[in-house]
Amino acid sequence: MTPDALLDPKDVLDLPASSSSPFHNRVIVRNHRSIFHKYAEGEEEDELLAEDELAVDENQDQDEMMRSLPVPSKYYKDLHQSILMRRGVVQQTGKGKIRRVSYMVLVGDGNGLVGYGEGKHSNGSTALKAARLAAVKNMDYVERFEKRTIWTEMSTKLGATRIMLRPRPVGFGLRCNPHLHRILRAAGLKDVSAKVWGSRNKLNVIKAAFRILHGGHAPTGMGDGLGGKGKKLMKGGGLRNKSEIERARGRKLINLRK
């Protein structure tokens, strides 16, 4: 049981007797230093603890993220960015539960491009970075009338959530659900009213809104390619533009504004 000088390093703090305490005390701290690290003489305890901890260099992570972006860094910094959701998620496995942090981030340039991304990781900063990268990569164009509102009334249903968007005149503003307000503002829409029926679950409202704004990724009528229905997230319709409305009405739209 004799302590080894190399394998059992220790620090001894002697507290001699004083006027406030007539007793002599001694505090011994063992194995708080790594034997694989060379410490300089006279280092304080706080400095040693700071060296042993694995600190994350925020500037280095930021540079790595900028290099992995598909757009220039200047363009990325000018985008509208907001965190739509932050929640804890749990994956149940045979060996137990794996807890992670999930982020949903909104990105838009305010001029017709908008997208959202999700990131999950045990480290919150890593999940947020992954969500931002996914949001930039998922940005898509939104059809707008006079660069301020939508062309016609549109609605969609996702689960128990049903959303309807309606065009409005100049100066009407965005009168809608607060989650829809952030999405439409990032997309560059200024005069829109919206109504949400059924479930107002935040996740369903966000995904249903992007189902209206973004076009679908699967060809019409193809389903999953095996005779079944396509995925829910692939059913985006996209906002109707001028040519689609002209074909549906069978007449040409004329601008009456002067």
Side-chain angles (χ1 to χ4, degrees):
M1 298 299 294
T2 304
D4 186 89
L6 179 62
L7 299 179
D8 297 310
K10 65 178 181 177
D11 272 358
V12 181
L13 176 63
D14 285 317
L15 303 174
S18 61
S19 58
S20 59
S21 176
F23 304 101
H24 178 272
N25 297 315
R26 173 180 292 180
V27 179
I28 301 177
V29 182
R30 298 183 182 274
N31 299 327
H32 70 288
R33 297 190 181 190
S34 173
I35 62 175
F36 303 103
H37 185 83
K38 293 183 180 180
Y39 298 99
E41 296 295 334
E43 286 185 338
E44 296 182 358
E45 185 176 358
D46 294 340
E47 296 176 354
L48 298 178
L49 294 176
E51 286 186 7
D52 289 340
E53 294 177 354
L54 296 178
V56 178
D57 190 356
E58 297 181 357
N59 295 331
Q60 184 178 358
D61 288 349
Q62 190 71 16
D63 294 340
E64 292 179 359
M65 179 178 175
M66 290 301 177
R67 286 195 296 268
S68 57
L69 282 173
V71 296
S73 59
K74 183 179 179 181
Y75 176 81
Y76 173 77
K77 293 178 181 179
D78 294 336
L79 296 175
H80 294 271
Q81 301 183 31
S82 62
I83 299 176
L84 296 175
M85 289 184 61
R86 182 189 181 278
R87 55 179 180 153
V89 293
V90 178
Q91 178 186 1
Q92 181 67 55
T93 66
K95 296 183 179 180
K97 296 181 178 180
I98 301 176
R99 301 184 183 275
R100 295 182 294 175
V101 180
S102 174
Y103 276 94
M104 180 179 287
V105 176
L106 171 70
V107 172
D109 65 348
N111 193 27
L113 283 176
V114 67
Y116 80 99
E118 296 181 78
K120 299 177 183 178
H121 200 271
S122 57
N123 187 358
S125 61
T126 305
L128 181 58
K129 183 174 69 173
R132 286 173 175 169
L133 290 174
V136 175
K137 294 178 181 179
N138 293 335
M139 289 176 67
D140 202 352
Y141 183 70
V142 175
E143 292 287 346
R144 297 177 298 163
F145 172 70
E146 295 180 349
K147 296 185 178 181
R148 61 173 185 83
T149 187
I150 59 179
W151 280 90
T152 184
E153 180 180 300
M154 294 194 66
S155 63
T156 189
K157 186 174 183 296
L158 178 63
T161 301
R162 180 168 172 249
I163 294 179
M164 178 177 288
L165 300 181
R166 303 184 183 95
R168 286 297 180 253
V170 178
F172 186 85
L174 295 174
R175 304 183 189 181
C176 53
N177 183 284
H179 310 306
L180 293 176
H181 187 281
R182 287 198 286 178
I183 297 173
L184 298 177
R185 182 171 174 267
L189 295 168
K190 302 175 183 178
D191 303 310
V192 175
S193 67
K195 177 64 178 176
V196 180
W197 287 279
S199 172
R200 287 171 174 80
N201 179 274
K202 184 188 298 187
L203 187 63
N204 282 4
V205 170
I206 293 171
K207 292 189 175 182
F210 276 97
R211 175 178 290 189
I212 295 179
L213 298 179
H214 286 176
H217 303 288
T220 305
M222 293 298 293
D224 61 354
L226 300 175
K229 296 181 179 180
K231 297 180 180 179
K232 287 185 177 181
L233 299 181
M234 308 290 277
K235 293 184 179 179
L239 291 180
R240 298 176 66 184
N241 53 23
K242 180 180 178 181
S243 61
E244 292 181 358
I245 297 176
E246 288 177 341
R247 286 197 300 268
R249 297 182 180 180
R251 63 191 67 180
K252 186 177 181 180
L253 298 179
I254 301 175
N255 187 8
L256 300 178
R257 293 200 177 194
K258 295 183 181 180

